[in-house]
Coordinates of all heavy atoms in Angstrom, one line a residue:
Chain A
E231 N -30.9 5.4 28.4 CA -30.3 4.4 27.6 C -29.1 5.2 26.9 O -29.1 6.4 26.9 CB -31.3 4.0 26.4 CG -30.7 3.1 25.4 CD -31.8 2.6 24.5 OE1 -33.0 2.6 24.8 OE2 -31.5 2.2 23.3
H232 N -28.0 4.4 26.7 CA -26.9 5.0 26.0 C -26.2 4.1 25.0 O -26.7 3.0 24.8 CB -25.9 5.6 27.1 CG -25.0 4.6 27.7 ND1 -23.7 4.7 27.6 CD2 -25.3 3.5 28.4 CE1 -23.1 3.6 28.3 NE2 -24.1 2.9 28.7
Y233 N -25.2 4.5 24.4 CA -24.5 3.8 23.3 C -23.1 3.6 23.8 O -22.2 4.3 23.6 CB -24.5 4.7 22.0 CG -23.9 4.2 20.8 CD1 -23.3 2.9 20.7 CD2 -23.9 4.9 19.6 CE1 -22.8 2.4 19.5 CE2 -23.4 4.5 18.4 CZ -22.8 3.2 18.4 OH -22.3 2.7 17.2
G235 N -19.4 2.8 24.5 CA -18.3 3.0 23.5 C -18.4 4.4 22.9 O -17.5 5.2 23.1
M236 N -19.4 4.7 22.2 CA -19.6 6.0 21.6 C -19.8 7.0 22.7 O -19.4 8.2 22.7 CB -20.7 6.1 20.6 CG -20.9 7.6 20.1 SD -22.1 7.7 18.7 CE -22.3 9.6 18.8
R243 N -14.3 13.6 23.7 CA -14.1 14.6 22.6 C -14.5 16.0 23.2 O -13.9 17.0 22.9 CB -14.9 14.2 21.4 CG -14.2 13.3 20.4 CD -14.8 13.3 19.1 NE -16.2 12.7 19.1 CZ -16.5 11.5 18.8 NH1 -15.5 10.6 18.5 NH2 -17.7 11.0 18.9
H261 N -21.8 10.5 34.1 CA -23.3 10.5 33.7 C -23.8 9.1 34.2 O -23.2 8.1 34.0 CB -23.3 10.6 32.2 CG -24.7 11.1 31.7 ND1 -25.8 10.5 31.9 CD2 -25.0 12.3 31.0 CE1 -26.8 11.2 31.4 NE2 -26.3 12.3 30.8
K297 N -25.6 17.9 25.9 CA -27.1 17.7 25.6 C -27.4 17.4 24.2 O -28.5 16.9 23.9 CB -27.8 19.1 26.1 CG -27.8 19.3 27.6 CD -29.2 18.9 28.1 CE -29.2 19.1 29.6 NZ -30.5 18.6 30.1
T298 N -26.6 17.9 23.3 CA -26.9 17.6 21.8 C -26.0 16.7 21.1 O -26.3 16.3 20.0 CB -26.8 19.0 21.1 OG1 -25.5 19.5 21.1 CG2 -27.9 20.0 21.6
E299 N -24.9 16.3 21.8 CA -23.9 15.4 21.1 C -23.7 14.1 21.7 O -23.3 13.1 21.0 CB -22.5 16.1 21.1 CG -22.6 17.3 20.1 CD -21.3 18.1 20.1 OE1 -20.2 17.4 20.2 OE2 -21.3 19.3 19.9
A300 N -24.0 13.9 23.0 CA -23.6 12.6 23.7 C -24.8 11.7 23.5 O -26.0 12.1 23.7 CB -23.3 12.8 25.2
F302 N -27.1 9.7 24.6 CA -28.0 9.3 25.8 C -29.5 9.6 25.4 O -29.8 10.6 24.7 CB -27.8 10.1 27.0 CG -26.4 9.9 27.6 CD1 -25.5 10.9 27.4 CD2 -26.2 8.9 28.5 CE1 -24.2 10.8 28.0 CE2 -24.9 8.7 29.0 CZ -23.9 9.6 28.8
W303 N -30.4 8.7 25.8 CA -31.8 8.9 25.5 C -32.6 8.7 26.8 O -32.3 7.6 27.5 CB -32.3 8.0 24.4 CG -31.6 8.2 23.1 CD1 -31.9 9.1 22.2 CD2 -30.4 7.6 22.7 NE1 -31.0 9.1 21.2 CE2 -30.0 8.2 21.5 CE3 -29.5 6.6 23.3 CZ2 -28.9 7.8 20.8 CZ3 -28.4 6.2 22.5 CH2 -28.1 6.7 21.3
K304 N -33.5 9.6 27.0 CA -34.2 9.5 28.3 C -35.7 9.1 28.1 O -36.4 9.6 27.2 CB -34.2 11.1 28.7 CG -34.1 11.3 30.2 CD -34.0 12.9 30.4 CE -32.6 13.3 30.7 NZ -32.5 14.8 30.6
R305 N -36.1 8.3 29.0 CA -37.6 7.9 29.0 C -38.1 8.2 30.3 O -37.6 7.9 31.3 CB -37.7 6.4 28.6 CG -39.2 5.9 28.6 CD -39.4 4.8 27.7 NE -38.4 3.7 27.9 CZ -38.5 2.6 27.2 NH1 -39.5 2.4 26.3 NH2 -37.6 1.6 27.4
W315 N -40.7 8.4 25.7 CA -39.5 8.9 25.4 C -39.5 10.4 25.4 O -40.5 11.0 25.0 CB -39.0 8.5 24.0 CG -38.7 7.0 23.9 CD1 -39.5 6.0 23.4 CD2 -37.5 6.4 24.4 NE1 -38.8 4.8 23.6 CE2 -37.6 5.0 24.1 CE3 -36.4 6.9 25.1 CZ2 -36.6 4.1 24.5 CZ3 -35.3 6.0 25.4 CH2 -35.5 4.6 25.2
V316 N -38.5 11.1 25.9 CA -38.5 12.5 26.0 C -38.0 13.1 24.7 O -37.1 12.6 24.0 CB -37.5 13.0 27.1 CG1 -37.2 14.5 27.1 CG2 -37.9 12.5 28.5
A318 N -36.3 15.7 22.1 CA -35.2 16.7 22.2 C -35.8 18.1 22.1 O -36.9 18.3 21.5 CB -34.2 16.5 21.0
Chain B
V168 N -26.7 -0.6 14.4 CA -27.2 -0.6 15.8 C -28.2 0.5 15.9 O -28.2 1.6 15.3 CB -26.1 -0.4 16.8 CG1 -25.1 -1.6 16.8 CG2 -25.3 0.9 16.6
F170 N -31.0 2.6 18.6 CA -31.3 3.0 20.0 C -32.6 3.7 20.2 O -33.2 4.2 19.3 CB -30.2 4.0 20.4 CG -28.8 3.3 20.6 CD1 -27.9 3.4 19.5 CD2 -28.5 2.6 21.7 CE1 -26.7 2.8 19.6 CE2 -27.3 1.9 21.8 CZ -26.4 2.0 20.8
A171 N -33.1 3.6 21.5 CA -34.3 4.3 22.0 C -35.5 4.0 21.1 O -35.8 2.8 20.8 CB -34.0 5.8 22.1
R174 N -34.9 1.7 18.0 CA -34.7 0.3 18.5 C -36.1 -0.3 18.8 O -36.4 -1.4 18.3 CB -33.9 0.3 19.8 CG -33.7 -1.1 20.4 CD -32.8 -1.1 21.6 NE -33.1 -0.1 22.6 CZ -34.3 -0.2 23.4 NH1 -35.1 -1.2 23.2 NH2 -34.5 0.7 24.2
E175 N -36.9 0.4 19.5 CA -38.2 -0.2 19.8 C -39.1 -0.4 18.6 O -39.8 -1.4 18.4 CB -38.9 0.7 20.8 CG -38.3 0.7 22.2 CD -39.2 1.4 23.3 OE1 -39.9 2.4 22.9 OE2 -39.2 0.9 24.4
A220 N -24.6 7.8 13.5 CA -23.2 7.8 13.9 C -22.5 6.7 13.1 O -23.0 5.5 13.0 CB -23.0 7.6 15.4
H223 N -19.0 5.4 15.9 CA -19.0 6.2 17.1 C -18.8 7.7 16.9 O -18.6 8.4 17.8 CB -17.9 5.7 18.1 CG -18.2 4.4 18.7 ND1 -17.4 3.7 19.5 CD2 -19.3 3.5 18.5 CE1 -17.9 2.5 19.8 NE2 -19.0 2.4 19.3
E224 N -19.0 8.2 15.7 CA -18.9 9.6 15.4 C -20.1 10.1 14.8 O -20.5 9.5 13.7 CB -17.7 9.9 14.5 CG -17.3 11.3 14.5 CD -15.8 11.5 14.7 OE1 -15.0 10.5 14.8 OE2 -15.4 12.7 14.7
M225 N -20.7 11.1 15.3 CA -22.0 11.7 14.7 C -21.7 12.2 13.3 O -20.7 12.9 13.1 CB -22.5 12.8 15.5 CG -23.2 12.3 16.8 SD -25.0 12.5 16.7 CE -25.3 13.3 18.3
E237 N -19.5 0.3 11.5 CA -20.8 0.3 12.4 C -21.6 1.6 12.1 O -21.0 2.7 12.2 CB -20.4 0.2 13.9 CG -21.7 0.1 14.7 CD -21.3 -0.4 16.2 OE1 -20.7 -1.5 16.3 OE2 -21.5 0.5 17.1
A239 N -24.9 3.6 13.4 CA -25.9 3.7 14.5 C -27.0 4.7 14.0 O -26.7 5.7 13.4 CB -25.2 4.1 15.7
F241 N -30.5 6.6 15.4 CA -31.2 6.9 16.7 C -31.9 8.2 16.6 O -31.6 9.0 15.7 CB -30.2 6.9 17.9 CG -28.9 7.5 17.6 CD1 -28.8 8.9 17.7 CD2 -27.7 6.8 17.4 CE1 -27.6 9.5 17.5 CE2 -26.5 7.4 17.2 CZ -26.4 8.8 17.3
P242 N -32.8 8.5 17.5 CA -33.5 9.8 17.5 C -32.5 10.8 18.1 O -31.5 10.4 18.7 CB -34.7 9.5 18.4 CG -34.3 8.4 19.3 CD -33.4 7.6 18.5
P243 N -32.9 12.1 18.0 CA -32.1 13.1 18.6 C -31.8 12.8 20.1 O -32.7 12.3 20.8 CB -32.9 14.4 18.5 CG -33.6 14.2 17.2 CD -34.0 12.7 17.3
V244 N -30.6 13.1 20.6 CA -30.2 12.6 21.9 C -30.8 13.5 23.0 O -31.2 14.7 22.7 CB -28.7 12.7 22.1 CG1 -28.0 11.7 21.1 CG2 -28.1 14.1 21.9
T245 N -31.0 13.0 24.2 CA -31.7 13.8 25.2 C -31.1 13.5 26.6 O -31.8 13.4 27.6 CB -33.2 13.4 25.3 OG1 -33.3 11.9 25.5 CG2 -34.0 13.7 24.0
G246 N -29.7 13.5 26.6 CA -29.1 13.2 27.9 C -28.9 14.4 28.7 O -29.5 15.5 28.4
G247 N -28.2 14.3 29.8 CA -27.8 15.5 30.7 C -28.9 15.7 31.7 O -29.9 15.0 31.7

Side-chain angles (χ1 to χ4, degrees):
Chain A
E231 178 171 337
H232 76 122
Y233 182 0
M236 178 173 166
R243 273 196 295 265
H261 205 297
K297 289 259 179 186
T298 60
E299 292 179 31
F302 294 101
W303 300 272
K304 216 176 258 170
R305 178 149 51 177
W315 291 104
V316 172
Chain B
V168 295
F170 291 97
R174 173 179 54 69
E175 289 192 326
H223 293 177
E224 194 135 2
M225 284 254 226
E237 185 167 297
F241 44 77
V244 301
T245 57

